[in-house]
Amino acid sequence: MWRWLTNNHQTLTGIGAMLVGIAALFVAWDQGRVMRAQQHGAVVPVLQLDGFVSSTPDLRSVGLRVVNNGVGPAMIESVSLRRRGVQLDDFNALIALLPAGFDRSWSSVNGRALAPGGEVEPVTFVWERGSLSEDELGALLAEWEEWSVVACYCSVFDRCWTASSDNAGRSPVRSCPVVDVDPFERIGVAGGPNGGQASRIATGAEVPVP
């Protein structure tokens, strides 16, 4: 064995160089993996969707608020509207319970890039406080509890998740589905039996709709 080692030192040198190269390759791969993880972690968006009910001495309102509590921009690819778990394209069942002359504001969120700390209210319904009886108000709020919104969004590195307003948490997905209908856009053209005035929210300001 010793004689073989003394007579084949060039072979041993080659084997040693190969082992060093493999070790260097592994270190480079591991460092690249850690760096990629750090890059992804530095731009992870976390969308939170919350329904809200608000009252003032003169007005009542219900609506939805979307906030990015993450550290990177959220690229909102699609949103879907659900009632009791069934996907719908509009709020007509809810609008039917609103009083005559209610106001509504909406903002499209499909394709929106929401910065860290950014916030948007895709839909808000407002009416005069005394325009609904207590029973009518109870029926409206009970109906509001039946609705939820699911948003699918991605990071700038195309890692995607879904988040829901029913506090189901967020779940990773391979990609976001393509949705042709934005349910919040339909609010602007939905009539319903009670009419109502509509305004579109654009960059934080309300722009009257003819």
Side-chain angles (χ1 to χ4, degrees):
M1 180 67 178
W2 177 254
R3 180 178 299 175
W4 185 90
L5 292 175
T6 56
N7 294 332
N8 294 274
H9 57 86
Q10 290 183 341
T11 301
L12 293 175
T13 300
I15 293 174
M18 182 179 66
L19 293 176
V20 171
I22 292 174
L25 181 63
F26 173 79
V27 170
W29 171 84
D30 187 61
Q31 288 180 338
R33 180 182 61 83
V34 171
M35 183 175 296
R36 286 192 298 272
Q38 291 175 337
Q39 289 174 336
H40 285 287
V43 293
V44 171
V46 180
L47 277 194
Q48 182 174 339
L49 290 75
D50 293 311
F52 65 86
V53 178
S54 178
S55 296
T56 69
D58 300 319
L59 300 173
R60 292 188 192 273
S61 62
V62 296
L64 176 72
R65 184 176 296 114
V66 181
V67 182
N68 182 4
N69 289 322
V71 294
M75 319 302 289
I76 304 176
E77 301 293 336
S78 61
V79 291
S80 60
L81 181 65
R82 300 179 184 180
R83 182 180 183 272
R84 297 181 180 177
V86 178
Q87 186 167 327
L88 299 177
D89 292 334
D90 56 55
F91 279 97
N92 287 344
L94 179 70
I95 289 175
L97 298 176
L98 291 167
F102 70 90
D103 291 333
R104 53 189 165 182
S105 299
W106 83 96
S107 177
S108 175
V109 293
N110 277 354
R112 178 186 291 267
L114 199 61
E119 177 181 316
V120 61
E121 292 184 3
V123 60
T124 306
F125 298 105
V126 183
W127 63 94
E128 292 185 0
R129 190 180 179 103
S131 59
L132 287 178
S133 68
E134 289 301 317
D135 289 342
E136 291 171 331
L137 177 62
L140 174 63
L141 296 182
E143 177 66 25
W144 179 245
E145 291 295 324
E146 302 290 345
W147 295 76
S148 64
V149 174
V150 178
C152 188
Y153 64 99
C154 302
S155 72
V156 294
F157 289 114
D158 290 328
R159 289 190 174 181
C160 303
W161 301 264
T162 60
S164 174
S165 61
D166 60 6
N167 298 319
R170 71 172 191 154
S171 301
V173 294
R174 294 181 62 88
S175 61
C176 291
V178 177
V179 177
D180 296 329
V181 176
D182 187 328
F184 303 113
E185 284 287 348
R186 291 201 167 193
I187 294 172
V189 296
N194 296 326
Q197 298 179 354
S199 61
R200 176 164 183 160
I201 305 171
T203 63
E206 292 189 357
V207 181
V209 174

